[in-house]
Amino acid sequence: MRIILFAITFSCIFSVSMARADDYVIGVQDMPYAPFSWTKGGEYFGVGRDILDSFAAAHGYQFSYIALPYLRNLKGFLAGDFDFQFPEDPAWSNEIKNKSGKRIYYSDALIDYIDGVSVLSKRGAIGLDELKRMGTIIGFSPVDAYRKRAAQGNLYIYENPVVDGLISQLLLGRTDGIYLSIDVVQNHMRRMNMPGAATFAKHLPYRKSNYKLATIEHPELMKEFNAFLADSEDLINKIKASYELNY
């Protein structure tokens, strides 16, 4: 009887461990930044999740998501609390990453984006010298051209914790422009039934980059993920199109 009971117990433990072998936890940024990411009722949504879940489904993995502010996520990621971190960029928080001594593996690009200045459409031709007040999200770092002007006293950069607050300031005329993802601004304008109210001032300095997945413990799985990105271009483009990503 003991032998049978032990066999059953061992079998259950083995089955659970096997089930967990393909379960991974991804630390994600808890910030309302649609269409890239947002949370509702504790659930994480966005174009990034759709791409990650498509990969997991294709390879028999199970992903779960923990949404926290970026620096708290990064601390947990470096401590080994999460298997992956998303979104990530090798240029973000380099001092913290280097201090950890951990080797971080980054995926190929999941999603391209442009961080730039959005202005009211009626001021679409605004010049750099006319940009006196500019809002951005707390923790964002605008490109050097704006930081230099701020250091010279020619531009006041203020921060807001949420996109809605920045857009309200822009629509009320309390700021000359807002610096964040162009797709995020356009997404908010569509949700407010105000498409075309704001425009990307593409003649002003901007930054073009992409979001990546990062891992410390699973470089081999990252190779699988990169292969998926390369082999699933049509699927990924359909996902992006469903979120109306234009930049």
Side-chain angles (χ1 to χ4, degrees), residues 4-230:
I4 295 172
L5 183 60
F6 175 79
I8 293 172
T9 302
F10 179 80
S11 176
C12 290
I13 294 172
F14 182 74
S15 296
V16 170
S17 66
M18 285 298 289
R20 289 179 177 173
D22 291 332
D23 291 357
Y24 299 96
V25 177
I26 302 179
V28 294
Q29 197 165 353
D30 186 12
M31 183 176 74
Y33 209 60
F36 298 116
S37 62
W38 71 94
T39 56
K40 185 177 181 180
E43 188 77 8
Y44 174 68
F45 299 93
V47 60
R49 173 167 186 169
D50 285 4
I51 294 172
L52 291 168
D53 282 352
S54 294
F55 164 70
H59 288 78
Y61 300 132
Q62 181 69 42
F63 288 164
S64 58
Y65 300 87
I66 296 180
L68 293 169
Y70 174 74
L71 289 178
R72 285 180 61 190
N73 252 341
L74 180 60
K75 181 179 179 181
F77 172 63
L78 294 173
D81 296 339
F82 311 129
D83 297 293
F84 298 92
Q85 169 98 335
F86 178 82
E88 257 300 346
D89 187 315
W92 295 352
S93 302
N94 267 329
E95 185 176 346
I96 296 174
K97 292 174 182 176
N98 292 338
K99 189 176 179 180
S100 75
K102 301 290 181 66
R103 180 176 180 181
I104 301 175
Y105 300 87
Y106 294 93
S107 73
D108 295 335
L110 270 78
I111 310 163
D112 295 328
Y113 68 89
I114 292 177
D115 283 345
V117 177
S118 292
V119 301
L120 292 176
S121 294
K122 63 184 180 182
R123 300 190 67 193
I126 188 172
L128 189 59
D129 291 339
E130 299 174 86
L131 194 68
K132 300 297 184 183
R133 286 178 57 85
M134 184 180 78
T136 192
I137 292 288
I138 290 176
F140 274 36
S141 182
V143 292
D144 287 346
Y146 301 116
R147 296 202 299 271
K148 288 178 181 177
R149 287 184 60 78
Q152 295 165 353
N154 296 319
L155 173 65
Y156 174 67
I157 301 176
Y158 70 92
E159 296 181 322
N160 196 297
V162 293
V163 174
D164 287 346
L166 288 172
I167 289 180
S168 293
Q169 293 290 305
L170 179 65
L171 294 175
L172 291 170
R174 294 176 182 171
T175 187
D176 297 312
I178 53 176
Y179 183 91
L180 65 162
S181 162
I182 306 305
D183 275 315
V184 169
V185 175
Q186 294 301 319
N187 176 272
H188 273 66
M189 291 301 175
R190 288 192 297 269
R191 286 166 50 203
M192 296 170 68
N193 293 318
M194 298 181 68
T199 188
F200 172 32
K202 61 181 67 176
H203 56 284
L204 299 181
Y206 62 87
R207 178 175 184 257
K208 188 171 185 178
S209 190
N210 51 70
Y211 296 129
K212 297 177 172 68
L213 182 67
T215 189
I216 296 170
E217 302 293 337
H218 306 288
E220 292 304 316
L221 193 145
M222 192 67 85
K223 291 179 182 178
E224 289 184 44
F225 183 60
N226 284 336
F228 170 81
L229 293 177

